[in-house]
Amino acid sequence: MEALYSDWEKFEQDVSLLQEKHKLYRRKIEELTETQESLNRLINDEKQTLSELATRFKRYETVANDSEKRKLSGMTEKMKEQNNILDELRLWLPQKNAWILTAHLGSIRASFLTKEEKMKYKEEYERFKFFFTMVSIIFSFANAFIVDSRIMDALYHFLLVWYYCTATLREHVLRTNGSKIMPWWIAHHYISIVVSSVLLVWPEGTCYSMYRMKFFYFTSYLAVIQLMQYYYQNGHIYRLKALGSSPHHNMLVTVEGFQWWMWRGLTFLIPFLVSIYLLELYNAYTLYQLSFLPECFEWQVPLVGFLFFVLAIGNFLALFRVITRKFQQNKYFHLTTKYKAP
């Protein structure tokens, strides 16, 4: 009996000690929250100050002489460095959710506070994309060359709607946690959701049958190119991380296009991307021609054609923007090194 009472007293002491540790934990959480809010306010203040200084620099540059302009140019570069530092500091603090995340998650914040959590989520996103790309290849080839069923077509379109909705939400979470995903690729997925939804409700008929094979030939080729992009982009990201040239490389993700970090080693992907964009234009042109046929009276025909046209033009503009920025950076580099003092 004495042993039983002794064990009970020890248990009560352990619970009391646990309560004290839990109080300390709650106090630390409150202190952490207060520190995070304070740092966020300070960073916002410094970003505002930096923006005001940049405006003043531009205003003064119009009346400055050559010597002052060179000095202002150097200060402008330092301002960019300071802005990058502030952005890096902000990555480790909770950020406000994008509206789409707020609509789905409510007030729950999607920010991860540790590098391990961010990397784990990014790797899960990459596995998710790889898995769906393989599924897309199987469905596309099956629908194009084996099965001719509107039910299988609808199942594939439904999978596309689910994939683009899920990928878009995940990309918003990744952007909240520091991934530099170009805004166009987020918009691209929103448009793809609408395209897939419209294809899903397109009724079976003469016009659908006339376009069906062209669509599945296109998606088969697109899925193969996306798999190739995933393979090479993923390998390139690991090489950049190994080199450690930028902390942002830790949160780079594969995309269905071309971004700034792909210049070294992945430029051979550009012709394949251009071929995809041209096929999107071809889809738009095909649907435009079909819309004039008397048997093609469905509203889905001109709408899908218009959306394919928007996707193609947006993709070309995104690629053109990346290329022109690269040439501008090279031009600036050559000019600054040419006139640098020995």
Side-chain angles (χ1 to χ4, degrees):
M1 195 69 179
E2 290 181 1
L4 182 60
Y5 279 125
S6 177
D7 290 342
W8 175 253
E9 289 176 356
K10 183 178 182 301
F11 173 75
E12 286 185 320
Q13 291 174 358
D14 291 342
V15 171
S16 178
L17 182 61
L18 183 61
Q19 285 179 317
E20 292 299 322
K21 288 185 177 180
H22 191 267
K23 287 179 182 178
L24 178 62
Y25 164 75
R26 288 169 56 187
R27 188 160 58 248
K28 293 291 185 183
I29 290 292
E30 291 172 359
E31 292 175 359
L32 175 63
T33 303
E34 291 175 0
T35 304
Q36 289 171 344
E37 292 175 354
S38 175
L39 285 172
N40 263 323
R41 285 195 298 270
L42 290 171
I43 290 173
N44 289 335
D45 291 342
E46 295 303 325
K47 294 279 281 188
Q48 180 64 32
T49 302
L50 194 63
S51 177
E52 293 172 357
L53 286 171
T55 303
R56 289 170 61 187
F57 278 15
K58 288 181 181 179
R59 192 183 306 121
Y60 185 75
E61 192 175 13
T62 58
V63 295
N65 56 41
D66 292 341
S67 176
E68 291 172 334
K69 284 183 178 180
R70 284 193 295 271
K71 187 176 180 180
L72 286 173
S73 178
M75 293 176 71
T76 301
E77 289 303 308
K78 290 182 179 179
M79 288 178 65
K80 291 179 181 178
E81 294 175 4
Q82 294 298 318
N83 187 60
N84 291 335
I85 291 172
L86 292 174
D87 288 339
E88 179 65 21
L89 293 176
R90 182 176 275 174
L91 288 178
W92 301 100
L93 296 170
Q95 299 300 313
K96 185 178 179 182
N97 290 345
W99 68 270
I100 188 70
L101 291 179
T102 302
H104 284 81
L105 303 178
S107 59
I108 298 175
R109 285 185 173 178
S111 299
F112 302 120
L113 298 183
T114 66
K115 178 181 177 182
E116 290 73 19
E117 288 178 321
K118 295 183 182 199
M119 292 300 298
K120 182 180 178 181
Y121 189 84
K122 185 186 85 74
E123 289 167 1
E124 287 177 354
Y125 168 77
E126 296 292 3
R127 286 195 295 270
F128 163 74
K129 286 184 65 176
F130 175 75
F131 172 77
F132 183 81
T133 301
M134 297 302 296
V135 171
S136 181
I137 289 175
I138 294 171
F139 263 91
S140 296
F141 274 87
N143 287 338
F145 303 106
I146 302 174
V147 182
D148 185 3
S149 168
R150 185 65 182 91
I151 296 176
M152 287 294 293
D153 293 357
L155 178 59
Y156 179 61
H157 296 319
F158 175 78
L159 284 174
L160 287 176
V161 174
W162 170 79
Y163 166 72
Y164 284 119
C165 287
T166 307
T168 303
L169 288 173
R170 292 189 181 214
E171 285 164 355
H172 278 297
V173 174
L174 288 167
R175 278 177 62 85
T176 301
N177 287 277
S179 288
K180 299 295 183 180
I181 303 174
M182 189 183 294
W184 162 247
W185 298 117
I186 304 287
H188 180 281
H189 283 174
Y190 279 116
I191 299 172
S192 298
I193 291 170
V194 179
V195 171
S196 304
S197 301
V198 174
L199 289 169
L200 177 63
V201 299
W202 189 345
E204 186 175 11
T206 303
C207 194
Y208 179 83
S209 299
M210 293 171 67
Y211 177 66
R212 178 182 180 275
M213 291 305 296
K214 292 183 176 63
F215 175 76
F216 284 112
Y217 289 151
F218 166 73
T219 55
S220 300
Y221 180 64
L222 175 62
V224 171
I225 297 301
Q226 286 179 342
L227 182 63
M228 183 177 70
Q229 283 182 278
Y230 172 86
Y231 176 78
Y232 285 106
Q233 289 180 18
N234 214 29
H236 194 60
I237 288 171
Y238 277 106
R239 286 193 295 273
L240 290 172
K241 284 170 57 181
L243 293 172
S245 53
S246 170
H248 290 295
H249 290 154
N250 291 326
M251 289 301 291
L252 291 178
V253 295
T254 58
V255 295
E256 290 88 351
F258 196 82
Q259 295 204 148
W260 58 270
W261 52 268
M262 301 180 193
W263 275 108
R264 293 184 178 180
L266 295 183
T267 50
F268 71 92
L269 291 175
I270 292 179
F272 294 101
L273 294 175
V274 170
S275 67
I276 288 292
Y277 304 160
L278 289 173
L279 286 175
E280 287 174 340
L281 283 176
Y282 173 73
N283 273 281
Y285 176 75
T286 300
L287 290 164
Y288 173 76
Q289 292 293 325
L290 289 176
S291 66
F292 289 102
L293 298 179
E295 57 266 40
C296 293
F297 54 85
E298 298 95 338
W299 58 268
Q300 289 91 346
V301 180
L303 179 57
V304 174
F306 172 73
L307 292 174
F308 266 121
F309 178 77
V310 173
L311 287 173
I313 297 302
N315 288 334
F316 273 119
L317 290 176
L319 179 61
F320 179 74
R321 181 186 178 192
V322 174
I323 293 173
T324 53
R325 278 193 173 186
K326 180 63 177 178
F327 281 110
Q328 288 173 355
Q329 289 174 357
N330 287 344
K331 181 180 178 181
Y332 176 80
F333 174 78
H334 290 310
L335 286 173
T336 52
T337 53
K338 180 179 180 180
Y339 294 106
K340 185 182 291 183

